[in-house]
């Protein structure tokens, strides 16, 4: 490496130029505190790293929605109510949410590759263990699902920041879009694969065993193929200097970043909607089929998996299409409209809400109509996935990105999908007590609870409109800080 390419053995970015000002983690460093970077990462290795990170991201989201894909069978096996069923997703999201700031702190300061490797080991062990729980120990399944969040928190907070340090500009946007395509693809495959394995084996527990097996390959790939690039290397042509800052300084910097705050609230509303619908839609539509007399009520597991297949397929297809369309629109408009990204997110949220509302209302009379509206709504929601990650990467300086990812994850799950599956289940249980012996009312109670989602979606669209007001100034501020200026 050249003498201008330096890495300070500290913990956040500083300019390698002789800047006269300091802002948080941005500062000049004396020459005797700087050492040369020995690692240069070839483009080929960078692309391979993205492919590996995408594979692991796919497995993460497959596992996240495996439970939802076989939920009727789990309810029948453990004899649990809707609210108790929602608890399985809630405890997972809660542990994921609470540990994300911890891994964000570590990810901005220590070896990111090692953190992901140890997290992957924990994820494999807990996921596999959860498949051996018997009907008398439902609380053990709840505990293990909570521990699964430990592994995912270590990965999801760090992986996007590594991509951010391997690429810049439109190429980074493209790589991020590939990474985030695997959120809907993994989610959809989670439903499909789980339902298929449960149907073939006659045992829903086998659905939980595939992901850790595939995770073993992912662990090997992480160890041997993932680099640990210097933080901010891509923005500084491989030259990065870092200086120690406290976690509180990092948090204060992020709270002053208005684009980060408003976009995080928008992501929270999106997480509420997607988390609730992803968990409950197959079960909701299964009850709609019973209401219409298309299928009998489930009397023993495994229950009819057809809605998991269909919803999973729609999620995969609309996810890919939505992410690609959102990325293409963003790349086309970004140079002409400074606040194009949050405006695209706002349009996606605001236009998806009426589609989801109509889908819920149609479920009692037309399953095909419901799926058509769900497909349109999910496509519009999926416009946002890659764009949201890119917004965070360009309004936050490199050495605070893992912390920013972690705080955004904590907030969006705390107020979003950590509670939404349980909340909708609790509302459904409360309403079902009005007519406890009515199969029709069992559907209606869940229908009325999921109607909350479209209204939360409108709120999310408004948050993204607020982001659009500030993003130009905040992006400029981050670029100035990268250059060592005030």
């Amino acid at each position: 490496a050249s003498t201008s390419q330096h890495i300070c053995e500290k913990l956040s970015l500083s300019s390698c130029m002789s800047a006269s000002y300091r802002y948080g983690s941005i500062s000049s460093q004396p020459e005797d505190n700087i050492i040369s970077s020995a690692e240069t990462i070839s483009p080929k290795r960078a692309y391979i790293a993205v492919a590996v990170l995408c594979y692991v991201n796919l497995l993460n989201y497959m596992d996240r929605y495996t439970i939802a894909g076989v939920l009727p069978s789990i309810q029948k096996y453990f004899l649990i109510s809707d609210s108790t069923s929602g608890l399985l997703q809630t405890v997972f999201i809660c542990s994921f949410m609470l540990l994300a700031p911890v891994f964000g702190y570590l990810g901005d300061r220590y070896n990111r590759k090692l953190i992901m490797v140890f997290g992957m080991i924990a994820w494999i062990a807990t996921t596999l263990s959860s498949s051996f729980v018997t009907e008398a120990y439902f609380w053990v399944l709840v505990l293990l699902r909570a521990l699964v969040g430990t592994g995912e928190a270590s990965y999801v907070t760090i992986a996007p920041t590594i991509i951010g340090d391997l690429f810049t500009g439109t190429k980074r946007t493209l790589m991020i879009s590939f990474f985030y395509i695997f959120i809907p693809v993994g989610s959809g495959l989670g439903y499909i694969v789980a339902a298929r394995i449960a149907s073939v084996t006659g045992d829903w527990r086998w659905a939980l065993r595939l992901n850790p097996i595939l995770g073993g390959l992912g662990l090997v790939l992480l160890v041997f193929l993932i680099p640990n690039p210097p933080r901010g290397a891509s923005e500084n042509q491989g030259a990065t200097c870092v200086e120690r800052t406290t976690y509180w300084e990092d948090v204060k910097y992020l709270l002053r970043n208005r684009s980060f705050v408003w976009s995080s609230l928008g992501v929270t509303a999106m997480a509420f909607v997607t988390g609730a619908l992803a968990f409950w839609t197959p079960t909701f539509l299964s009850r709609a089929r019973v209401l219409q007399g298309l299928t009998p009520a489930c009397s023993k597991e495994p229950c009819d998996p057809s809605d998991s297949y269909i919803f999973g397929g729609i999620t995969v297809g609309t996810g890919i299409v939505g992410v690609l369309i959102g990325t293409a629109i963003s790349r086309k408009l970004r140079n002409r409209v400074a606040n194009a990204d949050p405006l695209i997110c706002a349009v996606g949220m605001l236009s998806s809400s009426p589609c989801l509302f109509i889908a819920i209302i149609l479920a009692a009379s037309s399953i095909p109509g419901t799926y058509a509206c769900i497909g349109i709504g999910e496509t519009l929601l999926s416009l946002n996935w890659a764009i949201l990650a890119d917004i965070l990467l360009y309004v936050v300086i490199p050495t605070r990105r893992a912390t920013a990812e972690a705080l955004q994850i904590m907030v969006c799950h705390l107020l979003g999908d950590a509670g939404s599956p349980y909340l909708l289940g609790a509302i459904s249980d409360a309403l079902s007590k009005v007519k406890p012996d009515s199969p029709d009312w069992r559907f209606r109670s869940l229908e009325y609870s999921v109607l909350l989602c479209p209204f939360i979606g409108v709120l999310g669209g408004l948050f993204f409109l607020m982001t659009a007001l500030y993003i130009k100034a905040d992006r400029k501020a981050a670029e100035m800080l990268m250059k060592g200026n005030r």
Side-chain angles (χ1 to χ4, degrees), residues 213-367:
I213 293 171
L214 297 176
L217 173 61
L219 178 61
V220 173
L221 295 175
L222 278 180
V223 171
F224 291 104
L225 297 179
I226 296 296
N228 185 39
R231 294 167 181 85
S234 60
E235 283 94 343
N236 292 283
Q237 294 77 49
T240 302
C241 296
V242 290
E243 177 200 350
R244 186 180 302 275
T245 58
T246 66
Y247 184 73
W248 180 237
E249 285 178 316
D250 294 349
V251 172
K252 287 193 293 184
Y253 161 80
L254 293 171
L255 291 178
R256 288 195 295 266
N257 189 321
R258 293 167 296 182
S259 296
F260 172 77
V261 171
W262 285 111
S263 65
S264 295
L265 292 174
V267 174
T268 300
M270 185 174 172
F272 185 101
V273 174
T274 57
L277 293 179
F279 191 80
W280 284 114
T281 296
T283 302
F284 172 64
L285 291 175
S286 177
R287 294 182 187 179
R289 289 182 185 276
V290 174
L291 176 73
Q292 295 180 38
L294 300 176
T295 58
C298 179
S299 58
K300 64 177 181 177
E301 48 106 8
C303 299
D304 180 12
S306 57
D307 287 299
S308 292
Y309 292 147
I310 298 171
F311 184 66
I314 289 174
T315 301
V316 172
T318 58
I320 294 173
V321 171
V323 170
L324 292 178
I325 291 175
T327 301
I329 295 173
S330 173
R331 294 177 69 185
K332 188 175 182 65
L333 295 181
R334 186 178 294 173
N335 292 332
R336 289 184 289 171
V337 183
N339 58 356
D341 285 349
L343 289 177
I344 294 169
C345 294
V347 170
M349 288 291 287
L350 292 173
S351 56
S352 68
S353 293
C355 296
L356 296 176
F357 182 86
I358 295 171
I360 295 166
I361 297 300
L362 281 177
S365 57
S366 174
I367 298 295

Side-chain angles (χ1 to χ4, degrees), residues 420-437:
S420 62
Y422 177 79
L423 176 63
L424 266 60
I427 293 173
S428 176
D429 280 349
L431 292 175
S432 67
K433 293 177 182 178
V434 176
K435 300 177 183 178
D437 299 322

Side-chain angles (χ1 to χ4, degrees), residues 427-456:
I427 293 173
S428 176
D429 280 349
L431 292 175
S432 67
K433 293 177 182 178
V434 176
K435 300 177 183 178
D437 299 322
S438 170
D440 175 72
W441 190 249
R442 181 168 167 77
F443 163 78
R444 293 296 178 186
S445 63
L446 188 55
E447 177 190 37
Y448 296 148
S449 67
V450 296
L451 278 172
L452 177 64
C453 293
F455 296 98
I456 300 296

Side-chain angles (χ1 to χ4, degrees), residues 171-220:
K171 188 169 289 187
R172 180 167 68 190
T173 301
L174 188 61
M175 294 300 106
I176 285 290
S177 71
F178 286 149
F179 180 80
Y180 278 93
I181 274 178
F182 288 93
I183 292 179
V185 170
S187 302
L189 287 178
Y191 299 115
I192 295 170
V193 174
R196 183 60 181 164
I197 291 176
S199 178
V200 169
T201 63
D203 187 349
W204 61 267
R205 286 176 294 238
W206 279 103
L208 298 178
R209 292 169 186 161
L210 176 64
N211 293 325
I213 293 171
L214 297 176
L217 173 61
L219 178 61
V220 173

